[in-house]
Amino acid sequence: MPRPSVATMPIITDFKAIATGLFVTWKHIFRRSVTVEYPEVKRTPAPRYRARIVLTRDPDGGERCVACYLCSAACPVDCISMEAAEDGNGRRYARWFRINFSRCIFCGLCAEACPTLAIQMTPDYEICERDIMELVYEKEDLLIDGCGKDPAYNFYRHAGIGVAQPRGAGEREEEPVDARGLMP
Amino acid sequence: MSPIALDIAIHLAKIALIFFVVLTLAAYLVFAERRILAWIQDRKGPNRVGPFGLLQPLADLIKLLTKEDFRPAGADKWLFYLAPAMAAIPAILTFAVIPFGAPLQLFGREVPLQVADLNVGLLFFLALSSIAVYGVALGGWASNSKYALLGSIRGLAQLISYELSMGLSLVPTVMLAGSLRLSDIVGAQEGIWFIVYQPLAFAIFLISIAAECKRIPFDIPEAEGELVAGFHTEYSGMRFGLFFVGEYINIIVLGGLATTFFLGGWHGPWLPPFAWFSVKTLAFAFFFIWMRGTLPRLRYDQLMHLGWKVLTPLALVNILVTGWILMLR
Ligand code: SF4
Ligand code: SF4
């Protein structure tokens, strides 16, 4: 676009534009501000807000986490670490489980990846500390005594073959096929 | 007390008063700017330190003083240390020639409320505003940083083009008042302010002083979006604070000068003269803040275009027309 010459410079429209802008900002001076003054006023976040992470339990009170490492693999900033272990009847659990909240970006990918719904996001966003090491949460800090968002779900009722119940006894699980039989 | 000692004492008192008032005002202008910009943007602004945030400037001062005074490697030591002062001192020196109130009767003598009533006051102001450019230019040059250098080059080019139209826009006021002395210019406006005779010169002067104190829409030397912080990119702590305060002193001083040249200085009905002067000066300060909340930054070539091809010719034509009319009268 050729630059307008001095003679054709749209001076009137320019001035009108500036005056309009000044008028708009003048009106905004007297408008109520939208600021929420945080420590005094606290907003209630939506129930599905993604903040502090918890580890939930199944309806029977057992730990849901089976230490499958899926959350740790999904985490884009690698802030989840754990060590897997098995108890006497072969049920897996996390010997220790650690989330470094100073690195967590609260993306929620860990909660999405979890097959047992163990790891869940909560709307509690006030987790600041003076000492950054306090932001490293251990399993004791993460584990809660409830079921979180999906109260009826129990992973070992659906899967976990041979650990919590005999084969074929799970919900919507069919009898095991006799691989040696000739019948269809 | 002998008359000379009294003279010196009065002068020192005036200088101290101006220093105190202008520096405090500059600090609170920063605060006012933050609050007003916040209101324009539907926010609240700093309101935590003290009642309504009024102690914020103090907190900022403490913060700036306790920050590290960093000098980048390869910077020119003395120039780097001197430049902030070179930017701030001329700004406050200009206040010496501004009459900020009607002459007082003190100790049986007439005391003008003005530190120095120079007979070339207007030239003094133009000269000092040119010196202030050195702060910008040398600060950017001495920093050994490309952003700072680019900022200072822009600053130089901008200030050269605006000094011209600013000087030219003041010629009509000198023609009307018949003097370069600022108190005479104010005196000539006792009846009618010069803005009535010279609206065009006033507009040109207003645009030029916005460019002179590097305010949006003419903040090209420090353009945050492109040059980090322009000529003061490398400055930290109180040296940065000096640049900053210099800019705000400049706003007050240039507002005071615009008041003196076009809005009748301290003249005005009902209110005492000093109050009139303050009200007018602060109105200019508010206008600059308001403009900052409204306008975007001009492009570099647009600014040159406006300065050289529009404002300077307009100012020249204005001088010719004024001279013609004055001759016919
Ligand atoms: S929310 Fe995102 S960043 Fe935080 S632990 Fe889960 S996957 Fe990692
Ligand atoms: S929290 Fe979920 S995804 Fe992570 S290890 Fe435990 S079961 Fe696997």
Side-chain angles (χ1 to χ4, degrees):
Chain A
M1 209 185 88
R3 197 183 301 151
S5 70
V6 178
T8 60
M9 237 185 46
I11 285 200
I12 308 231
T13 41
D14 283 2
F15 265 98
K16 236 170 75 189
I18 292 176
T20 318
L22 285 174
F23 181 62
V24 169
T25 43
W26 176 261
K27 275 192 305 191
H28 274 264
I29 291 182
F30 304 103
R31 200 167 287 179
R32 261 197 39 213
S33 76
V34 295
T35 310
V36 177
E37 295 195 71
Y38 164 60
E40 292 92 42
V41 186
K42 287 182 183 161
R43 295 172 73 171
T44 317
R48 291 180 58 184
Y49 193 86
R50 300 195 308 261
R52 185 167 61 86
I53 299 171
V54 292
L55 286 176
T56 56
R57 292 175 185 275
D58 60 28
D60 309 334
E63 286 171 23
R64 271 177 172 161
C65 176
V66 294
C68 66
Y69 291 93
L70 280 179
C71 52
S72 167
C75 179
V77 295
D78 275 349
C79 67
I80 305 182
S81 50
M82 75 195 82
E83 184 190 338
E86 272 180 25
D87 67 7
N89 50 13
R91 190 207 190 280
R92 284 169 64 97
Y93 67 99
R95 180 167 293 142
W96 50 264
F97 192 105
R98 187 175 296 144
I99 298 183
N100 184 351
F101 279 113
S102 67
R103 270 169 83 173
C104 176
I105 54 172
F106 302 102
C107 60
L109 288 180
C110 50
E112 247 172 77
C114 181
T116 66
L117 302 184
I119 193 163
Q120 293 186 6
M121 316 294 287
T122 67
D124 172 24
Y125 55 87
E126 293 182 305
I127 44 173
C128 297
E129 301 285 353
R130 289 263 170 210
D131 178 10
I132 201 164
M133 291 312 284
E134 307 255 295
L135 282 173
V136 179
Y137 277 43
E138 295 293 339
K139 190 173 171 185
E140 306 83 83
D141 312 317
L142 293 166
L143 201 61
I144 60 165
D145 278 338
C147 307
K149 283 174 202 162
D150 211 331
Y153 183 73
N154 188 334
F155 175 75
Y156 278 98
R157 295 252 172 279
H158 296 266
I161 295 163
V163 174
Q165 71 256 351
R167 307 187 117 215
E171 274 170 39
R172 282 178 291 174
E173 187 186 354
E174 292 181 357
E175 281 291 312
V177 176
D178 180 3
R180 295 204 174 144
L182 288 173
M183 298 303 285
Chain B
M1 226 193 288
S2 69
I4 290 185
L6 189 65
D7 237 23
I8 292 176
I10 289 176
H11 265 90
L12 285 181
K14 280 192 289 197
I15 291 173
L17 181 81
I18 284 185
F19 252 95
F20 178 74
V21 171
V22 172
L23 283 179
T24 321
L25 213 58
Y28 272 93
L29 204 56
V30 179
F31 171 69
E33 166 151 51
R34 292 173 66 186
R35 283 311 287 268
I36 293 172
L37 279 183
W39 290 335
I40 286 177
Q41 296 159 1
D42 292 347
R43 298 183 286 117
K44 283 196 190 306
N47 63 352
R48 293 284 150 163
V49 193
F52 306 107
L54 279 175
L55 295 181
Q56 185 70 38
L58 202 68
D60 288 344
L61 179 75
I62 294 171
K63 186 190 86 175
L64 284 175
L65 281 175
T66 49
K67 287 257 171 184
E68 183 189 357
D69 181 16
F70 182 77
R71 181 166 58 88
D76 187 318
K77 189 171 167 202
W78 289 108
L79 281 186
F80 186 79
Y81 284 163
L82 265 178
M86 277 201 255
I89 291 175
I92 199 161
L93 266 185
T94 311
F95 217 96
V97 292
I98 302 179
F100 54 87
L104 285 181
Q105 292 297 331
L106 268 186
F107 311 113
R109 60 164 74 204
E110 184 158 282
V111 180
L113 283 187
Q114 181 181 17
V115 172
D117 194 6
L118 294 183
N119 52 6
V120 289
L122 195 143
L123 294 182
F124 179 74
F125 148 60
L126 289 178
L128 278 181
S129 74
S130 303
I131 289 178
V133 183
Y134 280 98
V136 173
L138 295 178
W141 167 257
S143 297
N144 191 26
S145 146
K146 27 186 165 325
Y147 293 120
L149 185 61
L150 280 174
S152 63
I153 290 173
R154 287 180 176 195
L156 274 180
Q158 167 172 339
L159 288 150
I160 289 171
S161 44
Y162 276 87
E163 217 91 291
L164 201 61
S165 56
M166 181 165 74
L168 288 177
S169 70
L170 290 180
V171 173
T173 62
V174 176
M175 291 158 84
L176 287 172
S179 166
L180 288 170
R181 193 189 285 269
L182 262 55
S183 56
D184 289 349
I185 293 179
V186 171
Q189 301 178 70
E190 200 172 347
I192 299 175
W193 298 350
F194 282 169
I195 186 174
V196 179
Y197 300 126
Q198 292 291 342
L200 186 61
F202 174 70
I204 295 172
F205 187 69
L206 195 63
I207 296 173
S208 305
I209 59 176
E212 166 80 19
C213 52
K214 302 184 279 297
R215 301 284 299 172
I216 284 176
F218 306 110
D219 66 335
I220 295 171
E222 36 194 286
E224 289 88 354
E226 312 143 31
L227 294 184
V228 188
F231 62 93
H232 56 54
T233 304
E234 301 294 341
Y235 282 89
S236 55
M238 205 52 217
R239 277 175 216 288
F240 165 73
L242 260 182
F243 268 129
F244 208 65
V245 145
E247 187 182 322
Y248 284 83
I249 294 175
N250 231 336
I251 293 176
I252 299 171
V253 167
L254 291 172
L257 283 167
T259 306
T260 308
F261 291 137
F262 292 101
L263 290 188
W266 40 263
H267 286 301
W270 310 304
L271 291 179
F274 182 70
W276 265 115
F277 181 79
S278 318
V279 165
K280 291 173 190 169
T281 304
L282 291 181
F284 275 106
F286 173 77
F287 182 70
F288 282 147
I289 296 172
W290 184 18
M291 223 161 50
R292 173 166 177 194
T294 308
L295 297 178
R297 182 183 310 125
L298 282 183
R299 219 171 46 215
Y300 189 53
D301 61 315
Q302 288 170 330
L303 173 105
M304 292 289 131
H305 176 78
L306 183 66
W308 288 107
K309 294 202 197 154
V310 182
L311 294 184
T312 308
L314 267 183
L316 282 171
V317 170
N318 193 31
I319 294 173
L320 282 181
V321 172
T322 311
W324 192 52
I325 292 175
L326 279 182
M327 212 171 66
L328 289 186
R329 223 179 26 193

